Amino acid sequence: GGVGGGRVLRGPRPETRPATRHVSDAERRARLVTRHRLTPQTRTDDVVTITDDLVALHSTDPVTVYLSAAARMAAPALAPVSDALYQTRRLLRHHAMRRTLWVFGHEHARLAHHAATADVAAVQHRNLMGYLAAAGVADPPAWYADAAAQVLDVLSAGGPRTAREVGAALPGIAGLELPIQGGSFPAHSRVLLMLGFEGRVLRARPTGTWINGQYRWSAADDWVPGGIGAPLERRPAAAGLARAYLRTFGPATRDDLKWWAGWTVATTMAALADVEAVEVSLDGGCTGFLLPDDLDPVPDPGPSVALLPGLDPTTMGWKARGHHLAPDDAPRLFDRNGNGGPAIWVNGRIAGTWVQRKDGAIATRLFTDVGRAARAAIEEAAARHHALLGDVRFNVRYPAPVQRELLAG
């Protein structure tokens, strides 16, 4: 049972509206810090637990996966992430919400595939059929079915391979050039991409080091028995994904969930109804939602400091960020497309940004005064990142707008 008896959303037009529980910005930050493992007492070295607790880790920039996990580990290390991705394979890379590349645990990968990726795959399949027709293929569906079978045979026979290796093994497919947006692309690369959206192939080890974003491909059933998992209808999948999101990011508004999942209003409303989400009022007059078993107040978790990488799930978890970011600071951290750069989080707020300089030093820039204790904790967090990265140098794919000033010294 919860506190305050908020309105349970059981359908699109409930007839009664009991008193609504209020969740202040301060409590939202307490929830954020606790659920996102940003305090020392919530750290763990189980990277699968970290990933599941955040629903998924952004993988557009491969560095994000490792640094998002490391910031929440008791003993920051790179090897546990690689092991979970490529040895035990308890984590999977997959395109999903907003056509973004993510890293998931198995259950969330399955939910996200059927609740989000399947819609993207349908669009991509339609596009591919058009490209094949434009390239002179008489029967695009039959051509794709045959090409997909050949690609899967090559991957199953030879294990994970790069796109280049797949093309070399299948010159008949690779030799077909597809006209796409003014360019020309070998057909095998689009077949691999399409199979990825369908969940029939998965990204295996990168072709270079852990900061590299070019991956080998593996047949999904060979990499993880059962692949993404048994078929699941879209609506229960969406409800499962919404439940996971609200557990981590709630209270969140309808627009937050819609944006994060890349859904329509109708899908978002149906998912909220299916999980019996409870309406709560938020500071600023907005309406948010919590799960019906998650209404109890969350106590203050105490001081917390974390240096999170660009596109970290915490930074990218809400469309409206007023509860954790001052409006004047948003243009310093987020680009015009809404991509968040590396962020310094202090007590559940974004207080600044950081970057790795060419000499390996971690440079920080605070947007506000955080006090002596927090500044010391920031220095300690920066030292942990410096030690973790060692000789590795990386460029942030979506840097904070102020990063250039930091790099200049």
Side-chain angles (χ1 to χ4, degrees):
V3 175
R7 180 165 75 100
V8 176
L9 189 64
R10 299 182 186 278
R13 295 177 182 272
E15 296 180 358
T16 59
R17 299 178 68 93
T20 300
R21 163 152 137 66
H22 183 76
V23 181
S24 67
D25 283 350
E27 186 184 339
R28 294 185 75 183
R29 292 191 291 271
R31 284 175 169 269
L32 180 162
V33 167
T34 304
R35 304 289 169 87
H36 294 225
R37 296 184 175 272
L38 300 186
T39 60
Q41 62 267 30
T42 57
R43 290 177 187 153
T44 175
D45 291 333
D46 186 337
V47 297
V48 178
T49 294
I50 290 171
T51 304
D52 284 343
D53 283 352
L54 292 166
V55 185
L57 304 178
H58 278 257
S59 188
T60 303
D61 186 339
V63 174
T64 298
V65 177
Y66 287 83
L67 295 189
S68 288
R72 298 167 170 91
M73 295 173 72
L78 302 175
V81 182
S82 292
D83 288 348
L85 281 167
Y86 311 125
Q87 294 297 122
T88 65
R89 301 172 187 176
R90 295 173 65 203
L91 295 179
L92 309 175
R93 259 191 190 87
H94 192 44
H95 270 108
M97 298 80 76
R98 306 192 310 279
R99 200 188 165 186
T100 294
L101 192 60
W102 302 80
V103 163
F104 297 95
H106 288 204
E107 180 57 23
H108 288 167
R110 178 171 175 257
L111 292 173
H113 177 76
H114 295 287
T117 317
D119 289 344
V120 178
V123 174
Q124 292 297 313
H125 186 272
R126 187 164 59 246
N127 291 344
L128 178 57
M129 295 304 101
Y131 302 146
L132 289 168
V137 174
D139 188 347
W143 186 96
Y144 173 66
D146 178 65
Q150 290 186 56
V151 168
L152 290 171
D153 285 345
V154 165
L155 294 177
S156 293
R161 296 196 182 192
T162 66
R164 184 185 298 274
E165 290 168 339
V166 171
L170 298 171
I173 298 173
L176 177 65
E177 293 286 333
L178 303 182
I180 301 174
Q181 296 178 346
S184 180
F185 295 84
H188 76 283
S189 65
R190 304 302 296 191
V191 172
L192 280 167
L193 187 64
M194 188 67 245
L195 287 170
F197 282 118
E198 292 174 345
R200 298 163 71 188
V201 300
L202 294 171
R203 288 163 176 80
R205 284 188 182 274
T207 57
T209 68
W210 62 275
I211 67 173
N212 190 284
Q214 296 295 319
Y215 303 98
R216 295 174 177 87
W217 295 91
S218 173
D221 288 343
D222 295 337
W223 191 248
V224 177
I228 295 297
L232 179 64
E233 290 188 9
R234 186 178 190 277
R235 183 155 179 169
L241 191 61
R243 186 177 293 109
Y245 172 80
L246 289 178
R247 185 78 61 193
T248 297
F249 296 95
T253 68
R254 185 187 72 182
D255 283 347
D256 288 332
L257 174 57
K258 174 181 176 293
W259 173 81
W260 180 87
W263 287 337
T264 63
V265 171
T267 297
T268 306
M269 289 295 290
L272 289 170
D274 289 346
V275 301
E276 298 187 346
V278 177
E279 286 189 357
V280 296
S281 63
L282 305 175
D283 287 354
C286 295
T287 297
F289 294 92
L290 285 173
L291 294 174
D293 63 349
D294 190 27
L295 298 177
D296 292 329
V298 173
D300 183 347
S304 65
V305 165
L307 267 61
L308 302 184
L311 301 180
D312 184 86
T314 304
T315 304
M316 299 295 294
W318 298 267
K319 182 179 181 181
R321 305 178 176 102
H323 61 291
H324 65 69
L325 179 64
D328 290 345
D329 293 334
R332 301 181 184 183
L333 193 81
F334 288 85
D335 66 20
R336 293 180 180 179
N337 295 319
N339 298 303
I344 299 173
W345 284 79
V346 177
N347 301 333
R349 301 175 192 250
I350 294 177
T353 187
W354 65 276
V355 70
Q356 184 196 50
R357 289 181 174 154
K358 291 183 179 180
D359 63 359
I362 304 298
T364 61
R365 168 73 60 84
L366 290 172
F367 302 153
T368 185
D369 182 20
V370 297
R372 180 182 300 176
R375 287 196 302 272
I378 291 168
E379 291 179 4
E380 291 175 6
R384 287 196 297 272
H385 275 344
H386 185 270
L388 178 76
L389 291 164
D391 294 334
V392 173
R393 301 290 179 268
F394 71 94
N395 294 316
V396 181
R397 292 201 179 181
Y398 295 95
V402 298
Q403 176 173 305
R404 185 174 298 177
E405 299 173 24
L406 276 176
L407 288 173

